Amino acid sequence: MPSTRVPAALTRTFAGVLLDMDGTLIDSIGAVERSWLRWCQEHDVDPRRLAGFHGVTARNLIAELLPEAQRDAAHDRIVELEVADVDGIAVLPGAAELLGLLRAAGVPTAIVTSSSDPLAEARLRATGLARPDVVVTADHVERGKPWPDPWLLGAERLGLDPADCLVVEDAVAGLRAARAAGCGGLVAVENTMERAELEPESDLVVRDLAALVVEAVGRGVRVVGVEA
């Protein structure tokens, strides 16, 4: 039976849901690591400098690593590497079921990802995961995560106030961005980061989406509990 101990911030009904992609809906960590290690080798960057940037857009990460004159070409290269490598990418537990429930109930839903358009398309196609009508990528905003802009655009494209949206995310950078956007409830999944890192940034931490128990309320959604 699911626990009924839901934090107060999540006891309301949300009008829509905004979902991160990598690390939340799909497991792409192997492909990500392979691509970035190769990129680091090609650009003479110590891979240890990538630490702490999980959930941040590639463009924002590269801006921390390379001189401005090299950044556009370097960004094009990491997109090329990542789009070409979809080996081992898989749907994470509970992701397909949650998307199916939201679609069946008509709950406005968007994927909000730090991936580019071609990368998001490649990974969603590789997994066969049913995509919602709205997908916001790093290509759609001037400032991607850790800025709030992607979450704001996701809510806008759903026709909703961010305060009426439930966010599900696996990275501290994304959670902080969602909080800054004024999103109403934040659920963290510990697929890629430790619970101790996620708890201060979210309203609830679950091991994965299979542990998150939600129910449709009209065309909205409410968190019911957490599976043990």
Side-chain angles (χ1 to χ4, degrees), residues 41-82:
Q41 292 169 351
E42 293 178 358
H43 293 82
D44 196 26
V45 172
D46 185 342
R48 289 174 294 185
R49 295 183 65 194
L50 302 179
F53 286 100
H54 179 62
V56 174
T57 64
R59 195 172 291 280
N60 286 340
L61 170 53
I62 290 168
E64 299 292 328
L65 301 174
L66 295 177
E68 186 172 357
Q70 300 177 28
R71 292 173 189 169
D72 285 345
H75 179 263
D76 290 345
R77 180 55 176 158
I78 190 58
V79 170
E80 179 183 28
L81 288 169
E82 289 198 289

Coordinates of all heavy atoms in Angstrom, one line a residue, residues 41-82:
Q41 N 38.1 14.5 -24.8 CA 39.3 14.1 -25.4 C 39.6 15.0 -26.6 O 40.8 15.4 -26.8 CB 39.3 12.6 -25.8 CG 39.3 11.6 -24.6 CD 38.9 10.2 -25.1 OE1 38.6 10.0 -26.2 NE2 39.1 9.3 -24.1
E42 N 38.6 15.2 -27.4 CA 38.8 16.0 -28.6 C 39.1 17.5 -28.3 O 39.7 18.2 -29.1 CB 37.5 15.9 -29.5 CG 37.3 14.5 -30.1 CD 36.0 14.5 -30.9 OE1 35.3 15.5 -31.0 OE2 35.7 13.4 -31.4
H43 N 38.6 18.0 -27.2 CA 38.7 19.4 -26.9 C 39.8 19.7 -25.7 O 39.8 20.8 -25.2 CB 37.4 20.0 -26.5 CG 36.4 20.0 -27.7 ND1 35.7 18.9 -28.1 CD2 36.1 21.0 -28.5 CE1 35.0 19.3 -29.1 NE2 35.2 20.5 -29.4
D44 N 40.5 18.6 -25.4 CA 41.6 18.7 -24.4 C 41.0 19.3 -23.1 O 41.6 20.2 -22.5 CB 42.7 19.6 -24.9 CG 44.0 19.5 -24.0 OD1 44.1 18.4 -23.4 OD2 44.8 20.4 -24.0
V45 N 39.9 18.8 -22.6 CA 39.3 19.2 -21.4 C 39.3 18.0 -20.4 O 39.0 16.9 -20.7 CB 37.8 19.6 -21.6 CG1 37.1 19.8 -20.3 CG2 37.7 20.8 -22.5
D46 N 39.7 18.3 -19.2 CA 39.8 17.3 -18.1 C 38.3 16.9 -17.8 O 37.5 17.7 -17.4 CB 40.5 17.8 -16.9 CG 40.7 16.8 -15.8 OD1 40.0 15.7 -15.8 OD2 41.5 17.0 -14.9
P47 N 38.0 15.6 -18.0 CA 36.6 15.2 -17.7 C 36.1 15.5 -16.3 O 34.9 15.6 -16.0 CB 36.6 13.7 -17.9 CG 37.8 13.4 -18.8 CD 38.8 14.5 -18.5
R48 N 37.1 15.6 -15.3 CA 36.7 15.9 -14.0 C 36.0 17.3 -13.8 O 35.3 17.6 -12.9 CB 37.9 15.8 -13.0 CG 38.4 14.4 -12.8 CD 39.7 14.4 -12.0 NE 40.8 14.9 -12.8 CZ 42.0 15.0 -12.3 NH1 42.3 14.4 -11.2 NH2 43.0 15.5 -13.1
R49 N 36.3 18.1 -14.8 CA 35.6 19.5 -14.8 C 34.1 19.4 -15.1 O 33.5 20.4 -14.9 CB 36.4 20.4 -15.8 CG 37.8 20.7 -15.5 CD 38.4 21.7 -16.5 NE 37.8 23.0 -16.4 CZ 37.9 23.9 -17.4 NH1 38.6 23.7 -18.5 NH2 37.3 25.1 -17.3
L50 N 33.6 18.3 -15.5 CA 32.2 18.1 -15.8 C 31.4 18.0 -14.5 O 30.2 18.1 -14.5 CB 31.9 16.9 -16.7 CG 32.6 16.9 -18.1 CD1 32.3 15.7 -18.8 CD2 32.2 18.2 -18.9
A51 N 32.1 17.6 -13.4 CA 31.4 17.3 -12.2 C 30.6 18.6 -11.7 O 31.1 19.7 -11.8 CB 32.4 17.0 -11.1
G52 N 29.4 18.3 -11.2 CA 28.5 19.4 -10.7 C 27.6 20.0 -11.7 O 26.9 20.9 -11.4
F53 N 27.7 19.6 -13.0 CA 26.9 20.2 -14.0 C 25.7 19.4 -14.5 O 25.1 19.7 -15.5 CB 27.8 20.6 -15.2 CG 28.7 21.8 -15.0 CD1 30.0 21.6 -14.7 CD2 28.2 23.1 -15.0 CE1 30.9 22.7 -14.4 CE2 29.0 24.2 -14.8 CZ 30.3 24.0 -14.5
H54 N 25.4 18.3 -13.7 CA 24.2 17.5 -14.2 C 23.0 18.3 -14.2 O 22.6 19.1 -13.3 CB 24.1 16.3 -13.2 CG 22.9 15.4 -13.6 ND1 22.9 14.8 -14.8 CD2 21.8 15.1 -12.9 CE1 21.8 14.1 -14.9 NE2 21.1 14.3 -13.8
G55 N 22.2 18.2 -15.3 CA 21.0 18.9 -15.5 C 21.1 20.3 -16.1 O 20.1 20.9 -16.5
V56 N 22.3 20.7 -16.4 CA 22.6 22.0 -17.0 C 22.7 21.7 -18.5 O 23.1 20.7 -19.0 CB 23.9 22.6 -16.5 CG1 24.3 23.8 -17.2 CG2 23.8 22.9 -15.0
T57 N 22.3 22.7 -19.3 CA 22.3 22.5 -20.8 C 23.8 22.4 -21.2 O 24.7 22.9 -20.6 CB 21.7 23.7 -21.5 OG1 22.4 24.9 -21.2 CG2 20.2 23.9 -21.1
A58 N 24.0 21.8 -22.4 CA 25.3 21.6 -23.0 C 25.9 23.0 -23.2 O 27.1 23.2 -23.0 CB 25.2 20.8 -24.2
R59 N 25.1 23.9 -23.7 CA 25.7 25.2 -24.1 C 26.2 25.9 -22.8 O 27.2 26.6 -22.8 CB 24.6 26.0 -24.8 CG 25.2 27.3 -25.5 CD 24.1 27.9 -26.4 NE 23.8 27.2 -27.5 CZ 24.5 27.1 -28.6 NH1 25.6 27.8 -28.8 NH2 24.0 26.4 -29.7
N60 N 25.4 25.8 -21.7 CA 25.8 26.5 -20.5 C 27.0 25.8 -19.9 O 27.9 26.5 -19.3 CB 24.7 26.5 -19.5 CG 23.6 27.5 -19.8 OD1 23.8 28.4 -20.6 ND2 22.4 27.3 -19.3
L61 N 27.1 24.5 -20.0 CA 28.3 23.8 -19.5 C 29.5 24.2 -20.3 O 30.6 24.5 -19.8 CB 28.0 22.3 -19.6 CG 29.2 21.3 -19.4 CD1 29.9 21.7 -18.1 CD2 28.7 19.9 -19.4
I62 N 29.4 24.2 -21.7 CA 30.6 24.5 -22.5 C 31.0 25.9 -22.2 O 32.2 26.2 -22.3 CB 30.2 24.3 -24.0 CG1 30.0 22.8 -24.3 CG2 31.2 24.9 -24.9 CD1 29.4 22.5 -25.6
A63 N 30.1 26.8 -21.9 CA 30.5 28.2 -21.6 C 31.4 28.3 -20.4 O 32.2 29.2 -20.2 CB 29.3 29.0 -21.4
E64 N 31.4 27.3 -19.5 CA 32.2 27.2 -18.4 C 33.6 26.6 -18.7 O 34.5 26.6 -17.8 CB 31.6 26.4 -17.2 CG 30.3 27.0 -16.7 CD 30.4 28.4 -16.0 OE1 31.5 28.5 -15.4 OE2 29.6 29.2 -16.1
L65 N 33.7 25.9 -19.8 CA 34.9 25.1 -20.1 C 35.8 25.7 -21.2 O 37.0 25.4 -21.2 CB 34.5 23.7 -20.5 CG 33.6 22.9 -19.5 CD1 33.2 21.6 -20.1 CD2 34.4 22.7 -18.2
L66 N 35.2 26.4 -22.2 CA 36.0 26.8 -23.3 C 35.9 28.3 -23.6 O 34.9 29.0 -23.2 CB 35.5 26.1 -24.6 CG 35.7 24.6 -24.6 CD1 35.1 24.0 -25.9 CD2 37.2 24.2 -24.5
P67 N 36.9 28.9 -24.3 CA 36.8 30.3 -24.7 C 35.6 30.5 -25.6 O 35.2 29.6 -26.4 CB 38.1 30.6 -25.4 CG 39.0 29.5 -24.9 CD 38.1 28.3 -24.7
E68 N 35.1 31.7 -25.7 CA 33.9 32.0 -26.4 C 34.0 31.7 -27.9 O 33.1 31.2 -28.5 CB 33.5 33.5 -26.3 CG 32.2 33.9 -26.9 CD 31.8 35.3 -26.6 OE1 32.5 36.0 -25.8 OE2 30.7 35.7 -27.1
A69 N 35.2 31.9 -28.5 CA 35.3 31.7 -29.9 C 35.2 30.2 -30.3 O 34.9 29.9 -31.4 CB 36.7 32.2 -30.3
Q70 N 35.4 29.3 -29.3 CA 35.3 27.9 -29.6 C 33.9 27.2 -29.3 O 33.7 26.1 -29.6 CB 36.3 27.1 -28.8 CG 37.8 27.6 -29.1 CD 38.8 26.9 -28.2 OE1 38.5 25.7 -27.7 NE2 39.9 27.5 -27.9
R71 N 33.1 28.0 -28.6 CA 31.9 27.4 -28.0 C 30.8 26.9 -29.1 O 30.3 25.8 -28.9 CB 31.2 28.4 -27.1 CG 32.1 28.7 -25.9 CD 31.5 29.8 -25.0 NE 32.4 30.2 -24.0 CZ 32.3 31.3 -23.2 NH1 31.2 32.1 -23.4 NH2 33.2 31.6 -22.3
D72 N 30.6 27.6 -30.1 CA 29.5 27.2 -31.1 C 29.9 25.9 -31.7 O 29.1 24.9 -31.8 CB 29.3 28.3 -32.1 CG 28.5 29.4 -31.6 OD1 27.9 29.3 -30.5 OD2 28.5 30.5 -32.2
A73 N 31.2 25.8 -32.2 CA 31.6 24.5 -32.8 C 31.6 23.4 -31.8 O 31.3 22.2 -32.2 CB 33.0 24.7 -33.4
A74 N 32.0 23.7 -30.6 CA 32.1 22.6 -29.6 C 30.7 22.1 -29.2 O 30.5 21.0 -29.0 CB 32.8 23.2 -28.3
H75 N 29.7 23.1 -29.2 CA 28.3 22.7 -29.0 C 27.8 21.8 -30.1 O 27.1 20.8 -29.9 CB 27.5 23.9 -28.8 CG 26.0 23.6 -28.5 ND1 25.1 23.6 -29.5 CD2 25.4 23.2 -27.4 CE1 23.9 23.2 -29.0 NE2 24.1 23.0 -27.7
D76 N 28.1 22.2 -31.3 CA 27.6 21.4 -32.5 C 28.2 20.0 -32.4 O 27.5 19.0 -32.7 CB 28.1 22.1 -33.8 CG 27.3 23.3 -34.1 OD1 26.3 23.6 -33.4 OD2 27.8 24.1 -34.9
R77 N 29.4 19.9 -31.9 CA 30.1 18.6 -31.9 C 29.4 17.7 -30.8 O 29.2 16.5 -31.0 CB 31.6 18.7 -31.6 CG 32.3 17.4 -31.5 CD 32.2 16.6 -32.7 NE 33.0 15.4 -32.6 CZ 32.8 14.3 -33.3 NH1 31.7 14.2 -34.1 NH2 33.6 13.2 -33.2
I78 N 29.1 18.2 -29.6 CA 28.5 17.4 -28.6 C 27.1 16.9 -29.0 O 26.7 15.8 -28.7 CB 28.5 18.0 -27.2 CG1 28.2 17.0 -26.1 CG2 27.6 19.2 -27.1 CD1 29.0 15.8 -26.0
V79 N 26.4 17.8 -29.7 CA 25.1 17.4 -30.2 C 25.2 16.3 -31.2 O 24.5 15.3 -31.1 CB 24.4 18.6 -30.8 CG1 23.1 18.1 -31.6 CG2 24.0 19.6 -29.8
E80 N 26.2 16.4 -32.1 CA 26.5 15.3 -33.1 C 26.8 14.0 -32.4 O 26.3 12.9 -32.8 CB 27.6 15.8 -34.0 CG 28.0 14.7 -35.0 CD 29.2 15.2 -35.9 OE1 30.1 15.9 -35.3 OE2 29.3 14.7 -37.0
L81 N 27.7 14.0 -31.4 CA 28.1 12.8 -30.7 C 26.9 12.2 -30.0 O 26.7 11.0 -30.0 CB 29.2 13.1 -29.7 CG 30.6 13.5 -30.3 CD1 31.5 14.0 -29.2 CD2 31.2 12.2 -30.9
E82 N 26.1 13.0 -29.3 CA 25.0 12.5 -28.5 C 23.9 11.9 -29.3 O 23.3 10.9 -29.0 CB 24.5 13.5 -27.5 CG 25.5 13.8 -26.4 CD 24.8 14.5 -25.2 OE1 24.5 15.7 -25.4 OE2 24.7 13.9 -24.2

